[in-house]
């Protein structure tokens, strides 16, 4: 009998398990992916590194940041040096150097100047002392707060009369500022024409002229509480007080310089200085009435 023919199965080298239907290629893919990621260790930045960290690691960016910081420091120094040319910050700090005791004494002086005797401003090494140490020194804290309070009281008065409106309140505030500006300019021009050599500065004038708002507040408040009788009584008292206060204050600033220069008491120039002092003091009661009479009805 011829030898029986046997069928020999063809072996498949990639099949490790006879029951597996598909080839396992995960290991090969993982090896391929690993080969693609291998160059990351050759000096190139890793894919997981943030852009900010890469930017900060760049020496050019560090140089730019350092240069920008130096420019900012130089700009700040330049502003600090030249800001006094436009805004006298150092001088303004002097006029706001007040405390509670000074404010109380100053308000008492504004309402009762008849009881005060010594009106000389104290000096320390040719420099006036801070207002909190001398009640005669001018300040800007009381005028600024008085102006803001005056605007608020004016709004209250208009509201009680059903006449309040933002435009009318803004007109009231702008009118007060306009009159104050005109006063300062007129006094500076008069001092120039009369040729007065005085240490009275523009900020001093703003401070002295701003004290009238204190009396205006008192007059309007009394008018709201007691009617026109209370308004005229309190405003009249405050007008006389501010007149006396301005006379006794400005005469030391204007007439004292004339005496130091040896100008005769009855000389023509000295007479002009006296008239100027009287005119400035007399203008305060007129403006106090003009800016408040329409608020009380």
């Amino acid at each position: 009998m011829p030898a029986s023919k046997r069928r020999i199965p063809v072996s498949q080298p990639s099949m490790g398990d006879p029951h597996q239907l598909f080839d396992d290629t995960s290991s090969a893919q993982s090896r391929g992916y690993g080969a693609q990621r291998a160059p990351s260790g050759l000096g190139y930045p890793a894919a997981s590194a943030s852009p900010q960290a890469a930017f900060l690691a760049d020496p050019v960016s560090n140089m730019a940041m350092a240069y920008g910081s130096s420019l900012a420091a130089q700009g700040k120094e330049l502003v600090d040096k030249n800001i006094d040319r436009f805004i006298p910050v150092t001088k303004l700090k002097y006029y706001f150097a007040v405390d509670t005791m000074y404010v109380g004494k100053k308000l008492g002086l504004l309402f009762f100047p008849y009881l005060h005797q010594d009106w000389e401003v104290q000096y320390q090494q040719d420099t006036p002392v801070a207002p909190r140490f001398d009640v005669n020194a001018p300040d800007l804290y009381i005028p600024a707060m008085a102006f803001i309070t005056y605007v608020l009281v004016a709004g209250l008065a208009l509201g009680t009369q059903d006449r309040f409106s933002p435009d009318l309140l803004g007109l009231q505030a702008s009118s007060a500022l306009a009159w104050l500006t005109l006063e300062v300019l007129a006094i500076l021009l008069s001092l120039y024409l009369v040729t007065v050599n005085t240490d009275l500065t523009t900020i001093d004038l703003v401070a002295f002229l701003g004290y009238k708002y204190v009396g205006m507040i008192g007059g309007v408040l009394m008018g709201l509480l007691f009617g026109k009788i209370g308004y005229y009584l309190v405003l009249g008292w405050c007008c006389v007080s501010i007149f006396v206060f301005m006379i006794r204050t400005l005469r030391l600033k204007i007439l004292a310089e004339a005496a130091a220069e040896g100008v005769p008491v009855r000389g023509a120039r000295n007479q002009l200085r006296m008239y100027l002092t009287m005119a400035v003091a007399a203008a305060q009661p007129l403006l106090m009435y003009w800016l408040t009479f329409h608020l009380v009805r």
Side-chain angles (χ1 to χ4, degrees):
M1 290 181 66
S4 60
K5 296 180 181 181
R6 294 181 299 175
R7 299 177 62 182
I8 300 175
V10 179
S11 62
Q12 299 180 4
S14 61
M15 297 179 60
D17 187 358
H19 301 286
Q20 185 173 354
L21 300 179
F22 303 98
D23 294 339
D24 186 8
T25 60
S26 60
S27 60
Q29 291 177 358
S30 63
R31 288 193 299 270
Y33 294 153
Q36 294 176 0
R37 291 194 301 265
S40 63
L42 298 177
Y44 297 97
S48 60
S50 62
Q52 293 82 0
F55 177 78
L56 294 177
D58 189 1
V60 177
S61 64
N62 293 335
M63 184 182 300
M65 291 180 61
Y67 183 68
S69 301
S70 63
L71 284 180
Q74 292 177 2
K76 182 178 181 300
E77 183 180 358
L78 183 63
V79 170
D80 292 339
K81 287 182 179 179
N82 297 328
I83 193 172
D84 282 341
R85 295 182 180 180
F86 306 99
I87 302 176
V89 179
T90 305
K91 294 182 179 179
L92 289 178
K93 289 181 180 180
Y94 164 81
Y95 289 94
F96 284 95
V98 301
D99 55 10
T100 306
M101 184 175 296
Y102 168 83
V103 173
K105 291 181 178 180
K106 195 71 171 189
L107 292 177
L109 180 61
L110 292 174
F111 284 107
F112 304 99
Y114 326 100
L115 306 178
H116 194 61
Q117 300 297 329
D118 185 13
W119 293 85
E120 291 285 346
V121 177
Q122 299 179 12
Y123 284 81
Q124 183 178 8
Q125 297 180 355
D126 297 335
T127 303
V129 299
R132 63 173 175 268
F133 301 118
D134 184 13
V135 72
N136 296 323
D139 72 285
L140 287 177
Y141 176 80
I142 293 178
M145 294 297 105
F147 176 80
I148 296 174
T149 307
Y150 160 70
V151 175
L152 296 177
V153 171
L156 176 63
L158 294 174
T160 57
Q161 303 168 14
D162 295 331
R163 297 190 295 137
F164 177 81
S165 68
D167 295 336
L168 190 57
L169 187 62
L171 179 62
Q172 190 73 24
S174 60
S175 298
L177 283 178
W179 279 110
L180 181 63
T181 304
L182 288 177
E183 281 186 279
V184 173
L185 294 178
I187 295 174
L188 291 177
L189 179 60
S190 301
L191 291 175
Y192 174 76
L193 295 177
V194 182
T195 63
V196 177
N197 296 324
T198 177
D199 59 351
L200 193 65
T201 64
T202 304
I203 303 179
D204 291 337
L205 289 176
V206 173
F208 288 132
L209 299 176
Y211 287 135
K212 63 175 172 287
Y213 296 118
V214 177
M216 294 163 58
I217 295 170
V220 175
L221 288 178
M222 290 300 102
L224 294 177
L225 295 176
F226 304 104
K228 283 195 172 183
I229 296 178
Y231 165 74
Y232 284 114
L233 288 177
V234 175
L235 186 68
W237 176 272
C238 294
C239 287
V240 175
S241 299
I242 196 67
F243 179 81
V244 175
F245 173 82
M246 295 296 289
I247 287 291
R248 295 187 176 180
T249 302
L250 293 181
R251 67 182 179 87
L252 296 177
K253 294 288 186 178
I254 299 177
L255 298 180
E257 294 293 333
E261 295 173 1
V263 178
V265 177
R266 299 185 181 275
R269 185 179 298 179
N270 200 23
Q271 292 292 330
L272 290 176
R273 296 180 182 185
M274 292 177 60
Y275 294 150
L276 176 60
T277 304
M278 296 287 293
V280 174
Q284 305 310 302
L286 296 177
L287 289 174
M288 291 172 65
Y289 175 76
W290 177 257
L291 294 174
T292 58
F293 79 96
H294 59 282
L295 298 175
V296 179
R297 292 186 177 180

